[in-house]
Structure formats: structure tokens, C-alpha cells
Amino acid sequence: MSTTGATADPLAALGSLPGVAESVETVRKAVDRVYGHRVMRRRSTAITSEAALRGARGSAALSGADWALEEVRRRSDFGADDQALAVGAALRLTAEAGQLLSIWRQSPLRVLARLHLVAAADKGDEVGRPRQAGEPVDEPLIELDLPTADEVAGRLEGLSQLIVAGSSAPALVTAAVVHGELLALRPFTSHNGLVARAAERVVLIGSGLDPKSVCPAEVGHAELGRAAYLAALDGYVSGTPAGMAAWIAHCGRAIELGARESTAVCEALQRGAA
């Protein structure tokens, strides 16, 4: 991650990039529409559950398992093949994200390790820790140059320090940086995309922007498509002001689309059609 200049709060500095304030305001309005819906006052738990399911489906789609929502809803066996494993991992991560908020504020690296452990559902030596020199990374959908293990360790520590220190940056900015940094680093030997999107969810819940987790950004990322996702990620990796702003705006649009999805669920419940 880079910013436009040296500052004690580099995340906040990103909030001043061109167009970012507008994205932040648009996201806030979209989230407020969901939380202001009359159905949320009496059926928020149902909306949260449905958002979790749809978010997991979206995250799995970006990892190559683009299943129909009803297929995700009806299935109980997620160990049959690589796609089923990805969907199962996404569902587990979505369920886990809300349980890690207090730990995230104190030790983000512990949370990331836990998320990888949950995603991998494996007891291998490489699970639940950053990759070491020479270890391969299974992340075929992201073809960026792979940072070295030493670079990963240093940048993860820097990201952790930013989170623990706190920031005046809007939640959208912090969530986008956490998401982008994890995709750029691919710190684990597997499941990095799923973990990155789950970490984005943790930030959005913990920041208070989406405390009930009813605005699944993963839905929006999937709807915008993998090509747009990877193009925006290229902007983040470039470290340029324009590239960073484009990535933040992309993440903002994803949250807007997730909010729109849950608004539609609210409308369906209100009509008695869901």
C-alpha cells in the first residue's frame, strides 16, 4: 500500500483522493436505505442470514465456483470437488467473520490466521500462518507477481499496526485497503481471495458501517465480474493515487450492490414472497 505522502494516518490520507469522498457518501446512503427499511425493524435476523448466504455465494463465484443461489441453499455436502470445497469454505468464513470483531481490533494477524484455518479446514503445517519462502500459492484466478515471503511478513505487520493504531478513515477506505492488500500479498498458500473478502466483511461490520452484516460486498464484487475485479486490483497494486482511488470506488460500488440486494430481499419479505 502506498499513499500520496507521509502521514501519521495513511488510511485517512486515502480518503482525500479524488472521488473517494463521493464513493463514501454514496455507500452510506445505500446502507442507510437498507437499515431504514421497515422490514429491518422486525426481521433483521432473517435479512442477516440471507445476506450471509448470498455473500458466501458471491465470494465463492469469484474463486471459481459460480453456483446458483438455490444450489448453495440446498446443498449439505461441500467436500465432493474443488468447487464444492470453495463454496463450503466461503460459507464457513461468512459465519465466522462476525465472531472475530474484538480480536481484530487487538490482533488482526490472529484473525487472518483464524480465517485461513476456517477456510482450509485442514491441519496441514501451512494452514493458519503466512507462507514461508519456497512454498507455492494456489490462487489461479489472480495472476499478479507474487511478493516474497519476507515482503509479505513486513507488509502484514504494517497493515496490522495501522489497524491497531486506529484511523479516522471512512470504513470503506479501511475495508478496501485490507481487501486489496491481502489480494496483492496472497499471504497464505491457499484461499487468499476468500480470506480477503471475509476480512473486508470483518472491517465493515466492526466499523459500524454495516453492524448487522446486511450489505454483502461479495455480492457486488461477483455482480461486477471477475474482469472488473482484477482490473481494479491492478490499480491498487500500482500504488498510484488514481489506481488506489479506482480500487476504493470499485469496493464502494460492490457494497452498494450488496445493499441493493438486501433491499430487494426486504421488499420480497414485505410482499410475503420470500
Side-chain angles (χ1 to χ4, degrees), residues 2-16:
S2 67
T3 66
T4 54
T7 173
D9 191 349
L11 292 175
L14 294 175
S16 65

Side-chain angles (χ1 to χ4, degrees), residues 55-67 81-91 93 119 138-142 179 183 186 190-198 218 221-222 225-227 229-230:
R57 193 218 73 82
S59 191
L62 287 168
S63 287
D66 193 1
W67 289 12
D81 53 43
D82 287 346
Q83 287 201 5
L85 287 168
V87 174
L91 287 167
L93 284 170
D138 180 15
E139 201 70 43
L141 300 182
I142 299 176
H179 185 171
L183 288 179
R186 281 145 293 160
S190 64
H191 300 91
N192 290 287
L194 292 170
V195 168
R197 292 183 288 275
E218 305 96 327
H221 286 303
R226 187 163 67 92
Y229 187 62
L230 296 178

Side-chain angles (χ1 to χ4, degrees), residues 32 73 143 161 200 268:
D32 285 347
R73 197 189 302 279
E143 299 177 352
Q161 289 174 3
E200 180 183 49

Side-chain angles (χ1 to χ4, degrees), residues 8-12 105 160-169 174:
D9 191 349
L11 292 175
R105 298 184 187 101
S160 177
Q161 289 174 3
L162 287 176
I163 299 301
V164 172
S167 171
S168 62
T174 303

